Amino acid sequence: MTLAAAAVNTGDTAWLLAATALVLLMTPGLALFYGGMVRTKSVLNMLMMSFVSIALVTVVWLAAGYSLAFGDDIGGGLLGGLEHAGMRGLGPDSVHGTVPTVLFATFQLTFAIITAALISGAVADRTKFSAWLVFVPLWTLLVYVPVTHWVWGPGGWILDRLGALDFAGGLPVEVTSGASGLALCLVLGPRLGFKKDAMRPHNLPMVMLGAGLLWFGWFGFNAGSALGANGLAAAAFLNTLAAGCTGLLGWLFVEQRRDGHPTTLGAASGAVAGLVAITPSCGTVSLLGALVVGLAAGVVCSYAVSWKFKLNYDDSLDVVGVHLVGGIIGTLLIGLFADEAMTGGTEGLFHGGGLAPLGKQLLAVVVVAGYAFSVTYGLGKLLDTVLGLRASEEQEHTGLDLTVHAETAYDHGVLGHGAPVSHSVLSPASTQKVDTQA
């Protein structure tokens, strides 16, 4: 047995294998979550934007993304090198900490996949699928990879120089996807009928199923980031559960007070908001801190999703209101609630650490959000000029499922004993209605 092989901890490896599978499952979960939120005419397109991201990001990550993110720093904390391009030099005996390096690389790949897929929710119902196929690999290399190196890569400036904390991806996943979603929806412009037609989710059970799969996978996302089967993973696991619960309750409380009705969509969105916010902080705050982080996200994000109507940007499925705002909340609250028992050193303001940790977290958020927004906006403008980023008005009106994929999500044929089915597939004001009366 080689020394490298001897360094592998089988318990840590087994847990990270399971966590990697859990995180990969989040992208199909996201597809269902988003797919249920759109109208019936673009369900398959929404699913496809997530599923194709799995293939596109995987190829880019294995070719160069992993090496640029986690290779030895070559740019003053800004980017890694290409020594592992094509996964060169990473055999079965290569070890990262106590797990095989190829497993660590695969675990990180699943993060990159879902981050790209998250952006699709901001531009649902109106994006050219062919342009999306070009956007995803370019965005991964230009935005996700550099930010990941800053936050987690060897020599990354946020990790090594600034000293800001991010346990499981508030900056490279949540803030970048939210800021990039905002940039892209500004480039595309609003959907036809925005602020005029009701655009309700067509299938709330699908939304709830997707949210459940996301929550399930999030345990791998957050607890897996401990990179070991240990007490830190267990604490992150519990914090993830707790924040999802208080996020859900906080959102429902606002709905009840504001609208008089707690909704299933609100429950799903609140849970996701809490999970988003606890992502950066699950390994840095105590259980009490996690409860507060989730509650703050559930309450604030429930208001933030309505900002698009006041500020006139069409964030179709509330990527900005949930992922950008929730990611910012979770990242900043580390500066208040960081607990030395979790971090091994850094303490937040409420634990006697002063204002310095909060200032570091704020600077990291501002830089990452600004970088992601500006690069994505420029990339979106370039692709719009060269390829055309937006589907045609006819395609958008008819629906992208039929016009792009030549398929429909639901077969509205004949039911029962030859009874005709009446439906309103293209009505944005209501969910699908079926009348089975003969």
Side-chain angles (χ1 to χ4, degrees), residues 27-424:
T27 299
L30 179 72
L32 292 174
F33 184 70
Y34 280 171
M37 291 176 70
V38 296
R39 293 166 286 175
T40 53
K41 60 183 179 178
S42 295
V43 180
L44 298 178
N45 180 257
M46 198 74 259
L47 298 176
M48 281 286 285
M49 291 179 81
S50 286
F51 269 82
V52 78
S53 297
I54 298 175
L56 293 171
V57 177
T58 296
V59 172
V60 169
W61 188 256
L62 297 179
Y66 172 76
S67 188
L68 292 171
F70 291 98
D72 293 337
D73 184 75
I74 60 169
L78 299 179
L79 200 63
L82 286 171
E83 65 268 27
H84 299 306
M87 306 303 286
R88 185 171 62 247
L90 302 180
D93 287 342
S94 178
V95 177
H96 180 97
T98 60
V99 301
T101 305
V102 290
L103 175 57
F104 172 76
T106 308
F107 180 65
Q108 292 296 336
L109 164 61
T110 60
F111 281 56
I113 289 169
I114 195 169
T115 307
L118 282 170
I119 301 171
S120 66
V123 294
D125 288 337
R126 63 196 188 279
T127 304
K128 265 188 181 180
F129 188 69
S130 57
W132 180 251
L133 298 179
V134 178
F135 171 82
V136 168
L138 290 177
W139 182 89
T140 300
L141 287 173
L142 294 175
V143 177
Y144 183 82
V145 163
V147 173
T148 298
H149 183 76
W150 302 351
V151 177
W152 293 324
W157 73 270
I158 288 180
L159 174 67
D160 286 358
R161 302 183 186 186
L162 179 61
L165 301 178
D166 186 343
F167 189 76
L171 293 168
V173 177
E174 310 299 352
V175 172
T176 60
S177 62
S180 298
L182 176 61
L184 209 58
C185 71
L186 291 177
V187 172
L188 281 169
R191 290 167 290 178
L192 298 177
F194 177 63
K195 295 202 297 187
K196 296 178 182 178
D197 300 331
M199 298 180 181
R200 298 171 183 162
H202 89 282
N203 191 326
L204 287 170
M206 185 187 292
V207 173
M208 294 294 280
L209 175 60
L213 290 172
L214 284 170
W215 200 337
F216 180 63
W218 229 298
F219 291 119
F221 202 94
N222 287 356
S225 293
L227 302 181
N230 50 40
L232 183 57
F237 194 107
L238 180 57
N239 284 347
T240 300
L241 175 60
C245 292
T246 52
L248 185 156
L249 294 173
W251 194 298
L252 291 185
F253 175 78
V254 171
E255 282 192 328
Q256 181 65 48
R257 292 272 313 232
R258 182 185 60 199
D259 309 321
H261 302 287
T263 67
T264 53
L265 180 60
S269 299
V272 170
L275 294 165
V276 165
I278 200 60
T279 294
S281 53
C282 61
T284 60
V285 303
S286 66
L287 178 59
L288 177 60
L291 292 168
V292 175
V293 168
L295 182 63
V299 171
V300 175
C301 292
S302 65
Y303 288 105
V305 296
S306 65
W307 294 348
K308 61 186 178 183
F309 299 110
K310 299 176 181 178
L311 300 177
N312 202 37
Y313 63 89
D314 186 9
D315 172 22
S316 304
L317 306 183
D318 301 321
V319 177
V320 177
V322 173
H323 292 275
L324 177 59
V325 175
I328 290 173
I329 290 171
T331 304
L332 292 182
L333 288 184
I334 293 173
L336 301 181
F337 292 100
D339 189 334
E340 185 179 9
M342 295 288 288
T343 65
T346 301
E347 292 184 314
L349 177 64
F350 294 161
H351 289 275
L355 288 171
L358 181 60
K360 294 176 181 179
Q361 298 301 123
L362 178 61
L363 178 59
V365 165
V366 170
V367 173
V368 169
Y371 176 80
F373 178 88
S374 58
V375 174
T376 304
Y377 189 86
L379 177 60
K381 282 290 188 181
L382 175 63
L383 292 179
D384 194 36
T385 300
V386 175
L387 301 175
L389 197 58
R390 181 160 181 160
S392 69
E393 185 172 326
E394 179 182 356
Q395 288 177 320
E396 186 177 343
H397 178 75
T398 302
L400 300 180
D401 287 359
L402 192 59
T403 58
V404 175
H405 306 291
E407 299 173 299
T408 57
Y410 305 102
D411 182 7
H412 301 286
V414 176
L415 292 180
H417 301 289
V421 177
S422 171
H423 54 83
S424 52

